[in-house]
Amino acid sequence: MNLKKGLFITFEGIDGSGKSTQSQLLAKSLESIGQSVILTREPGGSEGAEIIRSLLVSGETDRWSPETEILLFTAARRDHLEKTIQPALDKNQIVICDRFVDSTRVYQGVARADLGKTVDELHSIIIKKEPDITFIINTDPEKSLLRGLARSSGEDRFEDFGLDFQKKLKDGFVKLSQTAKTRCHLIDGMRSKEDIAEDIFVIVRDYVQ
Ligand code: TMP
């Protein structure tokens, strides 16, 4: 079953916050009620953006400056938007995206450097798209960092910035949820994954009925 109009849902949070699990659980719940869902992620989600992803998530922390990161994430996002997100929305599908521009706003715009204005300006020129609903999974930085590092994914470049960096990210995401109140839902991520998923599904159900 397709909606009359596409729906763009994003998940955000610090590293190891459980947002990928929640993206998958929401996709399953929506499919179980007959919705057509595309589950995707950033950086990545299209062939070109996955290539850019590998440049960003591995290697030494000083491999890229915050400014270069903004350009690379935005380039990946533009390709992802052109090839994956917009075509699905045009077909009235539900797009669930694990991270989007809010990650750039917080990681590059707040935690890596004070570059919020640059992120927003570039976004308004190159991307020009905001999600309809954003879930920010709010967790404890210490526990989440341990969880993220325990995965040994080989994609730890941002985890390698350390605990203070993750604390700045947490504060940045909480602040963002207060400035973009109509679309952002701050979700207590320190509960069972089933309880979190239920809260999220209740919110989304209102949009698809
Ligand atoms: P992931 O581990 O959630 O797939 O994301 C990869 C890393 O990239 C994660 O540490 C967050 C970081 N990131 C940014 O710094 N800025 C961005 O705009 C995005 C999308 C991700």
Side-chain angles (χ1 to χ4, degrees):
M1 181 176 80
N2 268 7
L3 302 174
K4 289 201 184 81
K5 198 171 155 282
L7 184 64
F8 184 26
I9 303 170
T10 58
F11 280 82
E12 298 283 357
I14 63 175
D15 296 285
S17 59
K19 62 183 175 40
S20 306
T21 303
Q22 290 303 323
S23 311
Q24 289 160 14
L25 290 173
L26 179 63
K28 269 195 200 146
S29 299
L30 287 170
E31 278 164 357
S32 76
I33 58 164
Q35 295 295 334
S36 175
V37 179
I38 299 283
L39 179 59
T40 186
R41 68 167 182 183
E42 289 208 351
S46 64
E47 202 182 328
E50 289 290 334
I51 294 169
I52 299 174
R53 177 187 176 93
S54 64
L55 298 173
L56 280 160
V57 296
S58 61
E60 299 300 316
T61 51
D62 64 358
R63 184 176 189 186
W64 310 108
S65 70
E67 288 82 354
T68 311
E69 283 174 11
I70 292 172
L71 293 169
L72 289 170
F73 279 113
T74 306
R77 182 161 304 129
R78 175 72 205 199
D79 192 62
H80 184 209
L81 185 65
E82 285 175 12
K83 310 268 171 58
T84 306
I85 298 175
Q86 199 56 55
L89 293 175
D90 290 344
K91 284 189 246 160
N92 299 339
Q93 292 178 298
I94 299 176
V95 176
I96 300 177
C97 191
D98 184 345
R99 297 196 185 281
F100 193 64
V101 62
D102 293 326
S103 281
T104 320
R105 289 186 172 122
V106 175
Y107 277 74
Q108 282 67 45
V110 176
R112 289 278 281 122
D114 184 12
L115 286 169
K117 199 163 167 275
T118 308
V119 173
D120 283 334
E121 281 176 1
L122 194 60
H123 183 74
S124 71
I125 299 167
I126 301 294
I127 309 294
K128 303 179 196 141
K129 182 146 210 94
E130 296 292 336
D132 298 304
I133 318 171
T134 297
F135 294 104
I136 296 176
I137 311 296
N138 193 26
T139 53
D140 174 60
E142 221 153 321
K143 290 195 179 119
S144 299
L145 183 58
L146 285 176
R147 200 178 128 168
L149 288 171
R151 282 199 288 250
S152 302
S153 61
E155 295 193 331
D156 294 338
R157 184 168 163 263
F158 287 94
E159 276 105 331
D160 290 343
F161 282 103
L163 184 57
D164 281 350
F165 183 74
Q166 296 294 328
K167 287 180 178 164
K168 272 193 210 164
L169 291 173
K170 177 190 165 93
D171 292 347
F173 276 120
V174 170
K175 223 176 246 167
L176 183 94
S177 73
Q178 289 155 357
T179 56
K181 269 191 179 146
T182 41
R183 74 173 166 89
C184 286
H185 299 264
L186 188 66
I187 303 286
D188 175 4
M190 300 302 290
R191 297 172 296 152
S192 76
K193 64 178 187 215
E194 292 80 12
D195 284 355
I196 300 169
E198 198 178 317
D199 280 7
I200 290 171
F201 188 54
V202 165
I203 294 168
V204 175
R205 217 171 31 197
D206 279 349
Y207 286 78
V208 298
Q209 274 172 349

